């Protein structure tokens, strides 16, 4: 409720401009009428007295005109993002709205003729000037925006002054979701800066290297200087970078908190400081943990892993930073499946399909557990949808990303795969290791943004089977396909060692020096 009454700076400016336009029009109409009656027709003989009369007329009525105009313009949708005030209908809406303003003023003039005695010719002229000024101002701003966008498109210029989203910093953009998002952004005409440490290699984004609107920054996003540099000239940030998945996060809990939570806060602080208006954060439906209810964005959270807890904590930090100028948006994705530049075989649908095709076995643990599923391509489309939505609809919002139809039990997933790989055998087992069980409602994103995933689980499974049949994927057990396996390898901790390691080294060195000195003195 509170949020709907918040007037953004942009809306306030538009209201001020409209107030100025109606007052200017009224003044022009009064001056013209004054010149007509004093200078041309000579109906008013005492020019200074007539001038004072017109001045009084302006002083008495301008507030009423301003108030009426702003209320009527608001009712006609001038200050929202509704359909009535879009595109070619704009001119008609302006004509109607301004006519209503002057009809109301004319009516009031008739009712309170002792106080609001505005000549009809003044009202008519003021109406015409207001329409002309409003059309000119709206038209010139539309032309200006079109020119600025064409300039960026053809010259790759990324301006700091135009706040509409064209320049996007994608953090962790070389991963599973990032490599599906990148081509969509480039096709959409965006200028993309991609910041990633390439833990899983550069292969996922290879096809786009050298693209004129793609800039690649290889760096650890815990390095503040790199984050600051990467933020320059950007309009929006999509933060996908993290240690992803329950098993990978348990490898080094301190590191997980540093990468998933502390860095997220730092990145957001830098973005806010830079005046970047939109910050899209990849969270997960894992935050719902274990529950038998159908869960929506307001449901209680029940995290059962460090991974989920690190995401909830990040969500809180980001939502607390929301302001009219900084819009954090939380996307809680379902479990992803399907092909992108980097496929992962540590995710249930991809893994079970791979096992069915390669090993002729579909081993299911805790088959009654529910999960919502989402194709990686739809996850990328969801991000794009939020990037392009009016700020008022998304600022400070949490959206579950997926579709109600793709809530499945793991047993149902196994059955679906078996139908497509009939030679495979389904083996059911119980384990106490993964207790996650959640069925999620995706109504909010459908209702607010009209988002509906295009893929079905069946089409996604067929896509993976095809990738094996064509030889595009060979050994699904390779470490690069699994976050846990790869992060367990020895060379990775070298890249991901705690960023503040130098400080600890220096402190212990200082301590060693002090002890040595003390020892020598004794
Ligand atoms: N894949 C899913 O099923 C799923 C589901 C829900 C939410 N998510 C969320 O979506 C986001 C992306 O997931 P994904 O599956 O693409 O993950 P991913 O593991 O494939 O990609 C993560 C990317 O982040 C990069 N990265 C990690 N630490 C970094 C660091 N310190 N500095 C720079 N780069 C670093 C990695 O190199 C990698 O390219 C994550 O935040 C994840 O929590 C994923």
């Amino acid at each position: 409720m509170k949020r709907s009454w918040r007037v953004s700076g942009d809306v306030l400016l538009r209201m001020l401009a409209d107030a100025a336009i109606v007052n200017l029009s009224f003044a022009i109409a009064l001056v013209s009428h004054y010149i007509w009656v004093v200078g041309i027709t000579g109906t008013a003989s005492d020019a200074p007295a007539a001038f004072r009369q017109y001045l009084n007329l302006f002083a008495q009525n301008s507030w009423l005109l301003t108030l009426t105009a702003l209320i009527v313009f608001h009712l006609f949708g001038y200050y929202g993002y509704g359909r009535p005030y879009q595109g070619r209908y704009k001119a008609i809406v302006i004509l109607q709205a301004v006519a209503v303003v002057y009809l109301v003023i004319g009516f009031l003039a008739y009712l309170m003729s002792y106080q609001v005695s505005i000549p009809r010719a003044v009202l008519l002229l003021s109406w015409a000037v207001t329409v002309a000024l409003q059309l000119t101002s709206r038209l010139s701003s539309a032309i200006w925006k079109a020119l600025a966008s064409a300039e960026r498109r053809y010259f790759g210029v990324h301006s700091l002054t135009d706040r509409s989203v064209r320049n996007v910093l994608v953090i962790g953009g070389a991963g599973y979701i990032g490599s599906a998002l990148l081509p969509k952004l480039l096709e959409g005409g965006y200028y993309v800066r991609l910041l990633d440490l390439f833990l899983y290699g550069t292969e996922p984004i290879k096809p786009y290297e050298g693209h004129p609107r793609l800039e690649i920054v290889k760096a650890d996003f815990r390095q503040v200087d790199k984050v600051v540099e990467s933020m320059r000239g950007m309009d929006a940030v999509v933060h996908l970078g993290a240690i992803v998945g329950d098993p990978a996060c348990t490898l080094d809990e301190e590191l997980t908190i540093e990468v998933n939570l502390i860095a997220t806060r730092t990145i957001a602080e830098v973005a806010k400081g830079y005046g970047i208006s939109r910050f899209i954060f990849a969270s997960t439906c894992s935050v719902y943990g274990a529950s038998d209810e159908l869960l929506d964005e307001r449901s209680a959270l029940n995290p059962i892993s460090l991974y989920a807890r690190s995401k909830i904590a990040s969500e809180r930090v980001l939502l607390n930073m929301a302001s009219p100028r900084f819009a954090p948006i939380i996307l809680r994705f379902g479990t992803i499946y399907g092909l992108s530049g980097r496929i992962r075989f540590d995710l249930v649908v991809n893994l079970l399909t791979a096992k069915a095709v390669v090993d002729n076995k579909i081993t299911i643990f805790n088959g009654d557990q529910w999960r919502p599923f989402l194709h990686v391509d739809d996850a990328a489309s969801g991000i794009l949808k939020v990037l392009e939505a009016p700020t008022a609809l998304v600022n400070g919002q949490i959206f579950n990303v997926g579709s109600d139809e793709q809530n499945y039990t793991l047993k149902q997933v196994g059955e679906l795969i078996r139908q497509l790989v009939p030679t495979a055998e389904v083996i059911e087992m119980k384990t106490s290791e993964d207790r996650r069980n959640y069925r999620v409602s995706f109504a909010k994103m459908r209702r607010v943004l009209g988002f509906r995933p295009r893929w079905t689980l069946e089409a996604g499974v067929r896509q993976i089977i095809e990738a094996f049949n064509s030889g595009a994927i060979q050994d699904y057990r390779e470490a690069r396909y699994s976050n846990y396996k790869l992060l367990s390898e020895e060379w990775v901790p070298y890249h991901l060692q705690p960023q503040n390691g130098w400080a600890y080294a220096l402190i212990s060195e200082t301590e060693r020096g002090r002890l040595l000195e003390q020892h020598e003195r004794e």
Side-chain angles (χ1 to χ4, degrees):
M1 263 301 135
K2 223 167 102 198
R3 200 174 296 285
S4 63
W5 287 103
R6 202 181 273 170
V7 178
S8 76
D10 177 33
V11 168
L12 205 65
L13 267 178
R14 278 149 67 191
M15 290 171 88
L16 279 174
D18 285 329
I21 284 177
V22 288
N23 280 287
L24 182 67
S25 309
F26 190 37
I28 290 174
L30 283 171
V31 169
S32 308
H33 198 261
Y34 169 77
I35 293 172
W36 176 257
V37 296
V38 174
I40 300 173
T41 61
T43 27
S45 49
D46 185 353
F51 186 74
R52 275 196 301 277
Q53 204 186 333
Y54 277 89
L55 215 58
N56 277 342
L57 213 56
F58 182 81
Q60 276 172 12
N61 298 302
S62 74
W63 67 269
L64 184 65
L65 181 62
T66 310
L67 195 69
T68 312
L70 291 182
I71 292 173
V72 172
F73 292 166
H74 170 68
L75 294 176
F76 271 77
Y78 270 40
Y79 308 120
Y81 294 90
R83 214 162 238 294
Y85 191 60
Q86 297 290 315
R88 62 202 165 95
Y89 301 110
K90 225 181 223 183
I92 298 170
V93 176
I94 287 175
L95 274 173
Q96 288 173 340
V98 178
V100 169
V101 171
Y102 285 96
L103 278 174
V104 171
I105 292 291
F107 183 63
L108 290 177
Y110 171 75
L111 279 186
M112 316 185 284
S113 53
Y114 58 96
Q115 203 188 16
V116 194
S117 50
I118 312 168
R120 247 179 272 162
V122 169
L123 283 177
L124 213 63
L125 187 59
S126 188
W127 170 79
V129 179
T130 307
V131 169
L133 287 179
Q134 281 208 335
L135 284 178
T136 317
S137 77
R138 260 64 178 180
L139 203 69
S140 54
S141 101
I143 292 172
W144 175 255
K145 275 185 193 154
L147 280 177
S149 142
E151 185 193 358
R152 273 193 306 273
R153 218 169 265 264
Y154 293 111
F155 303 110
V157 177
H158 35 112
S159 132
L160 271 172
T161 48
D162 186 347
R163 300 321 306 163
S164 62
V165 173
R166 297 312 305 169
N167 309 319
V168 185
L169 172 63
V170 184
I171 301 180
Y176 185 31
I177 297 179
S179 57
L181 176 64
L182 183 59
K184 285 192 191 297
L185 287 172
L186 294 175
E187 275 161 30
Y190 289 92
Y191 172 92
V192 181
R193 189 173 290 148
L194 189 146
L195 169 64
D196 201 297
L197 196 52
F198 299 104
L199 289 175
Y200 312 108
T202 51
E203 204 67 17
I205 59 149
K206 256 239 146 39
Y208 313 102
E209 278 175 7
H211 190 288
R213 274 183 283 102
L214 172 65
E215 187 186 339
I216 296 172
V217 181
K218 182 178 180 192
D220 191 318
F221 57 64
R222 290 169 300 162
Q223 265 178 274
V224 179
D225 54 337
K226 298 290 177 195
V227 173
V228 169
E229 268 172 41
S230 305
M231 235 28 116
R232 285 203 188 112
M234 295 293 109
D235 304 314
V237 173
V238 178
H239 184 25
L240 303 170
I243 295 182
V244 183
D246 292 357
C249 286
T250 52
L251 283 169
D252 183 338
E253 299 202 345
E254 209 174 309
L255 184 71
T256 297
I257 293 171
E258 202 176 293
V259 172
N260 288 11
L261 174 60
I262 300 176
T264 297
R265 178 175 164 172
T266 310
I267 294 167
E269 296 280 3
V270 174
K272 192 171 180 177
Y274 257 96
I276 287 166
S277 53
R278 201 165 290 209
F279 192 98
I280 300 174
F281 177 69
S283 184
T284 164
C285 285
S286 283
V287 296
Y288 298 119
S291 173
D292 293 324
E293 310 287 317
L294 181 69
L295 303 150
D296 67 20
E297 290 81 353
R298 291 160 305 176
S299 300
L301 305 180
N302 186 17
I304 50 178
S305 67
L306 175 64
Y307 172 54
R309 280 193 290 275
S310 75
K311 290 290 179 181
I312 295 173
S314 302
E315 288 185 3
R316 287 201 185 136
V317 165
L318 293 173
L319 293 178
N320 277 335
M321 291 171 70
S323 79
R325 288 185 166 275
F326 181 71
I329 301 134
I330 310 296
L331 300 183
R332 291 181 182 159
F333 293 105
T335 303
I336 315 281
Y337 62 86
L339 291 189
S340 74
R342 179 201 177 212
I343 190 168
R344 285 176 50 194
F345 284 109
D346 53 0
L347 292 165
V348 68
V349 173
N350 298 352
L351 179 65
L352 293 184
T353 309
K355 277 181 176 294
V357 176
V358 179
D359 308 331
N360 274 320
K361 280 191 187 122
I362 305 168
T363 315
I364 292 165
F365 295 98
N366 304 338
D368 294 333
Q369 291 177 348
W370 286 90
R371 290 274 202 299
F373 293 101
L374 175 71
H375 194 280
V376 66
D377 196 61
D378 286 325
S381 302
I383 295 171
L384 216 62
K385 192 85 181 170
V386 169
L387 205 59
E388 290 170 353
T391 310
L393 290 184
V394 293
N395 188 356
Q397 294 295 319
I398 300 176
F399 293 101
N400 292 332
V401 192
S403 69
D404 293 3
E405 299 75 32
Q406 292 190 57
N407 280 303
Y408 286 93
T409 63
L410 297 181
K411 199 175 354 191
Q412 287 170 338
V413 174
E415 265 315 308
L416 192 144
I417 296 173
R418 202 192 54 80
Q419 279 166 22
L420 300 174
V421 189
T423 50
E425 173 198 3
V426 177
I427 303 164
E428 278 201 63
M429 296 173 104
K430 289 269 175 221
T431 171
S432 56
E433 248 175 49
D434 190 347
R435 291 184 288 115
R436 279 180 301 159
N437 174 39
Y438 42 91
R439 222 155 32 98
V440 178
S441 162
F442 297 94
K444 180 175 173 186
M445 193 151 166
R446 194 174 60 234
R447 197 181 60 244
V448 178
L449 302 177
F451 174 72
R452 280 170 205 276
R454 290 177 41 237
W455 283 77
T456 61
L457 191 62
E458 184 182 328
V461 171
R462 282 186 197 280
Q463 186 193 34
I464 299 163
I465 296 171
E466 179 49 34
F468 278 101
N469 291 344
S470 68
I473 301 167
Q474 279 158 5
D475 185 1
Y476 74 89
R477 295 184 192 84
E478 273 180 49
R480 66 189 166 119
Y481 295 132
S482 154
N483 288 1
Y484 175 79
K485 278 190 203 161
L486 198 110
L487 294 176
S488 312
E489 286 186 355
E490 258 172 37
W491 62 271
V492 179
Y494 170 75
H495 280 288
L496 269 181
Q497 58 188 294
Q499 283 296 291
N500 45 17
W502 65 270
Y504 289 113
L506 204 58
I507 296 275
S508 55
E509 220 170 83
T510 322
E511 179 66 0
R512 208 169 46 241
R514 189 184 67 79
L515 291 175
L516 278 174
E517 258 176 44
Q518 194 180 341
H519 179 73
E520 273 166 21
R521 264 189 267 118
E522 286 166 5

